[in-house]
Amino acid sequence: MDDHTGYQGDSGYRGNAGYRGEAGYRGDAAAPVWAALGGPAGLTGRVRYGGARGLLPARLPVMDLARTAVAVCALAGAELAAARTGGPVPAVTVDDGAVATAFLSERHLRIDGRAPTAFAPLSGFWDTADGRLRTHANYPHHRDRLLAALGLPGDAGPEALAAELSGRSAKEVEETVYAAGGLAVAVRDAKEWAAHPQGAAVARRPLLTLAPLGAATPPVRPPGLAGDPLLPAAGLRVLDLTRVLAGPVATRTLALLGADVLRIDAPGLPENRDTHGDTGFGKRSAVLDLGAREGRASFEELLALADVVVTGYRPGALDRFGLAPEALAERRPGIVVARLSAWGDYGPWGARRGFDSLVQAATGIAVTEAAADGTPGVLPAQALDHGTGYLLAAAVLRALTERSRTGGSRLATLALTQTAALLTDVVPRHTLDAPDARGAADAFDPEVRLADADSPLGRLRHALPPVSFADGPVNWSRPPSNWGSDAPAWW
């Protein structure tokens, strides 16, 4: 994929001198990222920024990352709308209040007045004999694997886990838990990550790739939008094979823009109810066993009419089901495939599982955001997940625009570590030490960016979408359905 230099735009976004952090800047930071997506030069001039300042405060320029990801996503949606209507690209508005609220959508969610549970008791930072460790055990199978790898009983609690880890090496535990299919990483600072083989591999890669895939095919022109100009993805079908959190954010955004998004999950891997309530807007949810003949046959029927397939499992995990990008393009010429991973599909950690919290711990972000006593910190939002989600949606939308003009299948690849590099490497280093990086924010009430909806899950209070352009949609057309309750069929 590295030979597709026209899409990667590496020289345009790493260390760009025009990119500045939160302190006092709200300029055209989207331009280098838009270039990495292969977007036409000059279109970022259609983006206008505004809203309350100082939101999502951190040492790292989290708000810059957030508004940039949303800006290029909205611009890609506006561009697709223009390509389908034949009109000009609508003006894009990025409101910091809307962006910050959306980047905290899982925290703002209420289901019948109940707030969601963020992290399970065994997910968090732990002291070890030689440093600190971050674990992720929100799902029962990940919790079971963590405890089994450490020789602890299945009902062990935080005290037992802390006692066990206190006498072990963080990096030894990292490898032991990984070998058992669990999730734990040693906390590293930025220099340690840069010296790590995976960190070095990430540093050699661009933010994302968007490249031709398979044989050339004729342009695919969806029906015109003269009668429905608000939904640039209307009539397009998206197969969503993703889980927490970046992938579902991306497909939730495609649903906002009019796509028929059908999420497919395995029957033995149910989704967390709160997570589904947050990311299921606009989509339908079905269960298919791709390891069974009937399930594979149903999937092939869906694929035969699909425009986009989005996968969010670790690289290679779905290949045995015929879901490698090349295999998909061979069976469905003209398909857009978007593939997301935690660590990248390369390097020694390319096949590992991962989540936003673990990537923050491994890449030096947790150390950069540490408290005064050295306790590892976290970003004010799961910004790697949300940021990557909007970048992923932008890549899909750009691919659909290019497909309508020149044809061909396309493959977009993104990783949380690459978004982490955007956050930590692109912005000049002095931003990290800016005295006002954690300064007071403008007065902002997130309630103005929340809405209520009745759903099969109950009464939902949820964040409104931040993606906004002239005459574009302002909310999803439908609330989430119950997980796995929909038929595996297109509308």
Side-chain angles (χ1 to χ4, degrees), residues 21 47 50 61 67 87 105 108 114 122 141 152 172 221 247 265 292 321 439 448 483 486:
V47 182
R67 72 166 69 91
S105 63
H108 288 299
R114 178 185 61 82
L122 299 190
H141 58 292
L152 294 172
E172 177 268 319
R221 303 185 184 281
D265 283 283
F321 301 120
V448 302
W483 179 86
D486 296 297

Side-chain angles (χ1 to χ4, degrees), residues 336-417:
V336 172
V337 181
R339 186 166 63 175
L340 165 74
S341 63
W343 307 105
D345 57 359
Y346 47 80
W349 284 15
R352 295 198 178 193
R353 299 171 177 86
F355 290 91
D356 181 306
S357 59
L358 300 181
V359 174
Q360 288 190 42
T363 60
I365 291 173
V367 173
T368 298
E369 297 294 336
D373 64 358
T375 302
V378 297
L379 298 177
Q382 292 190 71
L384 304 183
D385 264 334
H386 285 273
T388 306
Y390 289 108
L391 292 174
L392 182 65
V396 169
L397 294 164
R398 282 246 64 250
L400 290 168
T401 296
E402 293 300 325
R403 187 183 75 156
S404 72
R405 293 169 176 165
T406 63
S409 301
R410 281 173 173 76
L411 171 63
T413 58
L414 295 91
L416 299 185
T417 48

Side-chain angles (χ1 to χ4, degrees), residues 289-298:
D289 183 358
L290 298 184
R293 180 179 300 177
E294 182 178 343
R296 285 288 293 277
S298 295

Side-chain angles (χ1 to χ4, degrees), residues 128-168:
T128 69
D130 59 359
R132 290 186 168 95
L133 183 85
R134 177 86 198 214
T135 59
H136 194 289
N138 283 8
Y139 286 97
H141 58 292
H142 291 153
R143 180 184 187 279
D144 294 343
R145 292 170 186 171
L146 171 68
L147 294 176
L150 298 175
L152 294 172
D155 60 353
E159 295 81 6
L161 179 60
E164 176 65 24
L165 292 175
S166 66
R168 301 180 67 158

Side-chain angles (χ1 to χ4, degrees), residues 62-150:
V62 176
M63 197 65 224
D64 274 347
L65 169 68
R67 72 166 69 91
T68 295
V70 170
V72 296
C73 182
L75 187 58
E79 182 196 25
L80 180 58
R84 296 185 66 176
T85 61
V89 175
V92 170
T93 300
V94 178
D95 178 85
D96 277 14
V99 172
T101 304
F103 266 59
L104 295 169
S105 63
E106 69 277 7
R107 302 186 200 177
H108 288 299
L109 179 73
R110 298 292 182 270
I111 302 178
D112 291 330
R114 178 185 61 82
T117 300
F119 285 95
L122 299 190
S123 295
F125 291 105
W126 309 88
D127 290 325
T128 69
D130 59 359
R132 290 186 168 95
L133 183 85
R134 177 86 198 214
T135 59
H136 194 289
N138 283 8
Y139 286 97
H141 58 292
H142 291 153
R143 180 184 187 279
D144 294 343
R145 292 170 186 171
L146 171 68
L147 294 176
L150 298 175

Side-chain angles (χ1 to χ4, degrees), residues 59-60 190 368 421 423-434:
R59 292 194 179 94
L60 290 165
T368 298
L423 176 63
T424 59
D425 293 347
V426 175
V427 181
R429 302 304 299 177
H430 72 264
T431 304
L432 301 181
D433 300 319

